[in-house]
Amino acid sequence: MTHREVDVLAIGAGPANLALAAAIEECGDTELAENTLLLEQAPDIKWQRDLLMPWARSQVSFLKDLVTLRNPRSKFSFLSFLHDHGRLDHFVNLGTFHPYRWEFSDYLQWVATSLERVQIRYSAQAAGITPDRDSHDAVTGWTVTLTDGDTIHCRDLVIGGGRDARIPEPFDGLPQDRVIHSSTYRGRIAQIPKDQPLRAVVVGGAQSAAEMFYALHENLPESQITMVVRSIGLQNYQTSKFVNELFFPSFVDDFYDTPQEVRAQVLDEMRFTNYAGLAPPFLDELYTMLYRNRMLGAQRSEVRAMTEVTGARIEDNDVVLDLRDRKTGKESPLRCDLVLLGTGYDTRMPALVRELAEHAGLDNVSVSRNYRVDLGASTPGAVYLQGVNESTHGIADSLISVLAHRSHDIVSDLLTRRSTAEAGAAR
C-alpha cells in the first residue's frame, strides 16, 4: 500500500474531468497542472463503454468537444484529433456535425495520452472519501482510499464519475444474471452465446433502450425481442433551434439565478430534448428495421406501447413480468429469459457523494455557481461536483454541451482560491 499527496484529485476520467484536465494544462499554472491527478477505474478510457455500437452516433455537435467553446485554438480539440490521425478530410467529407460514438471515444483517449503535465492513474477505483480537518474543525483536504488499499491526499477534490444506474423497484429483486442495465450492455451481452434462442424484454422508451432493442437483433439473432414502452410510442427528441439555446453554456447563469420552482418547470418541459426521446435519424432506422422484418415474415420482435411493468418475479425458471395495458387497465403476464433496462440513472447524488456528505457532516449537498460544494464556513479544502447538478445548473449539466465552459469555471475558482490562500500566507 502506498500514500500520495496531490493538490487536485479528480475521480473519473470521462469527458468532464478530461475537459478539466485540458483546462488546467492551458491555464498557465504549471505547478497546479503537475500536481493534478485523475483516477480512472477502467484500464483505459471509453465513452459510454457499454453502448459503443459501431453504428451509434453522438447526439451533440463535435464542436461541443472538451475545449473548443472555451478555446477554439486548443490543441485538445476534436479537429486536432482528426488531423493528428490523418482523418480530417474523410470526416469533413461525411458532411455531419455528429461523429460516431466510437470515434468520439477514441478522441477522449487521445486527449488523455496528449496531456503533458496532468497525470492519469488507470485501474484505480475510489472506495471511500474522508475529510481532513484542522484544530478548528475546518476541512483542509481529503483522503481518498482506493479499493487496493492505497491512499491519496488532496486539498481539492473533483468528483466526475457520473450517476448510479437506476434499477426500478419491480426489477431490484430479480437475480442479477437475468437483468442487464444499459450501462453494462455490451460487456454482459457478449457473455451470451450468439445462437442461444432467448426471450428478451427491453424496458424503456428513450435512446439507450432503443439502442439495445436494435442491437439485440444482431447480438442475439435467434431470440424473440419485446420492447415495453410506457408512453404512447417511441418519439423524436425535440430539435428546435430555439429550445437548443437552453443548452448554451451562457444559459447556466440564467438558470442558476432562477427561482427553484421555475427551474423544476423548465427541467420538466425539457425532458423531450434529451431524456425521453430518440435521435430522429435513428428512430427512422429503427422503424424501417421493424417494417422490413414484418414484410419479410421475420416477426420475432415487437414494441408494446402504453404498457407498464407492475411486477417481476421468477417462476419455473422464467422471469415473469406483470404488464398493465394503460389503455384498458388489463393486466397480463409476460414470460421471458432476460430483462434489459433502459431506465436511466438515479436522480439522487451518487452514493460516493452521499457518503462524502455524511462524513463531512452535511445535511444536504448544495453547490455554488462554480460547482463547489458548500462546506459551511470558509475552508482550505474544497470539493467540486461535475455532471450531477441539473437541478441548479440546468439539463445540460450531465451532457457534453457545457463541458468546456464548466471546466473554465472550476479552474477559475481553483486559481482564485489558491491566490487567496497564498496572499493570506504571505501576510
Side-chain angles (χ1 to χ4, degrees), residues 140-154:
T140 58
W142 309 89
T143 296
V144 177
T145 303
L146 307 185
T147 53
D148 63 4
D150 287 357
T151 56
I152 303 173
H153 175 266
C154 64

Side-chain angles (χ1 to χ4, degrees), residues 72-302:
R73 298 179 179 89
S74 174
K75 69 176 184 178
F76 296 111
S77 70
F78 182 73
L79 291 180
S80 293
F81 157 74
L82 293 174
H83 183 269
D84 193 53
H85 285 76
R87 286 153 48 180
L88 185 55
D89 287 340
H90 290 87
F91 181 82
V92 170
N93 202 39
L94 283 177
T96 181
F97 280 100
H98 303 286
Y100 286 104
R101 195 174 290 158
W102 56 263
E103 191 162 32
F104 200 83
S105 180
D106 289 350
Y107 158 64
L108 297 182
Q109 182 65 75
W110 173 81
V111 169
T113 57
S114 299
L115 295 170
E116 297 178 355
R117 295 183 175 86
V118 174
Q119 299 177 53
I120 300 177
R121 177 172 170 176
Y122 294 97
S123 301
Q125 184 174 3
I129 304 170
T130 55
D132 302 314
R133 299 181 182 274
D134 62 18
S135 58
H136 302 290
D137 206 35
V139 175
T140 58
W142 309 89
T143 296
V144 177
T145 303
L146 307 185
T147 53
D148 63 4
D150 287 357
T151 56
I152 303 173
H153 175 266
C154 64
R155 182 176 65 180
D156 297 318
L157 180 68
V158 184
I159 300 179
R163 293 192 181 276
D164 302 323
R166 175 176 173 264
I167 310 295
E169 188 275 329
F171 309 101
D172 59 8
L174 294 177
Q176 292 186 2
D177 63 342
R178 296 298 193 96
V179 179
I180 298 176
H181 188 270
S182 60
S183 61
T184 62
Y185 175 76
R186 289 184 72 240
R188 291 282 306 281
I189 213 70
Q191 300 171 7
I192 301 175
K194 194 168 184 176
D195 60 352
Q196 186 171 344
L198 297 178
R199 297 161 297 173
V201 176
V202 179
V203 179
Q207 187 79 18
S208 60
E211 288 184 359
M212 288 191 294
F213 179 70
Y214 188 90
L216 281 170
H217 288 76
E218 177 183 352
N219 298 145
L220 298 177
E222 303 301 321
S223 295
Q224 295 289 324
I225 309 165
T226 303
M227 187 175 189
V228 176
V229 181
R230 191 177 186 278
S231 64
I232 58 174
L234 301 177
Q235 303 178 53
N236 287 338
Y237 65 72
Q238 293 180 9
T239 58
S240 162
K241 290 180 172 58
F242 295 98
V243 173
N244 282 348
E245 289 193 357
L246 302 187
F247 290 88
F248 285 4
S250 57
F251 181 67
V252 176
D253 286 325
D254 295 335
F255 190 85
Y256 189 84
D257 293 331
T258 296
Q260 183 176 352
E261 64 274 13
V262 180
R263 289 184 199 159
Q265 178 185 351
V266 172
L267 289 174
D268 183 63
E269 291 182 10
M270 291 185 70
R271 283 181 65 250
F272 281 98
T273 65
N274 182 55
Y275 295 129
L278 281 67
F282 177 64
L283 190 60
D284 289 343
E285 179 60 30
L286 184 61
Y287 189 87
T288 300
M289 179 197 71
L290 292 172
Y291 175 83
R292 183 171 60 245
N293 290 348
R294 188 180 302 115
M295 295 303 105
L296 295 176
Q299 298 184 41
R300 61 184 185 88
S301 57
E302 66 170 330

Side-chain angles (χ1 to χ4, degrees), residues 364-410:
N364 64 341
V365 177
S366 174
V367 295
S368 70
R369 171 60 184 83
N370 288 334
Y371 306 94
R372 175 156 44 99
V373 174
D374 181 4
L375 297 174
S378 178
T379 58
V383 58
Y384 299 86
L385 301 183
Q386 297 220 63
V388 293
N389 303 306
E390 296 98 321
S391 63
T392 52
H393 289 69
I395 195 171
D397 192 69
S398 63
L399 307 177
I400 290 175
S401 301
V402 298
L403 290 187
H405 279 271
R406 184 170 69 205
S407 62
H408 170 76
D409 294 339
I410 295 175

Side-chain angles (χ1 to χ4, degrees), residues 34-35 67 70 83 95 165 174 177 188 232 294 303 306 321 346 358 409:
E34 291 178 344
N35 285 282
V67 296
R70 172 182 60 80
H83 183 269
L174 294 177
D177 63 342
R188 291 282 306 281
I232 58 174
R294 188 180 302 115
V303 176
M306 292 289 288
L321 302 180
D346 195 332
E358 182 179 352
D409 294 339

Side-chain angles (χ1 to χ4, degrees), residues 278-338:
L278 281 67
F282 177 64
L283 190 60
D284 289 343
E285 179 60 30
L286 184 61
Y287 189 87
T288 300
M289 179 197 71
L290 292 172
Y291 175 83
R292 183 171 60 245
N293 290 348
R294 188 180 302 115
M295 295 303 105
L296 295 176
Q299 298 184 41
R300 61 184 185 88
S301 57
E302 66 170 330
V303 176
R304 297 180 62 166
M306 292 289 288
T307 303
E308 61 184 352
V309 180
T310 59
R313 61 190 183 280
I314 297 293
E315 186 178 287
D316 297 330
N317 203 38
D318 287 344
V319 177
V320 181
L321 302 180
D322 296 319
L323 303 184
R324 186 176 76 88
D325 187 323
R326 297 182 63 214
K327 300 186 296 295
T328 65
K330 180 180 178 181
E331 296 202 7
S332 60
L334 176 63
R335 290 182 174 268
C336 62
D337 303 299
L338 185 66

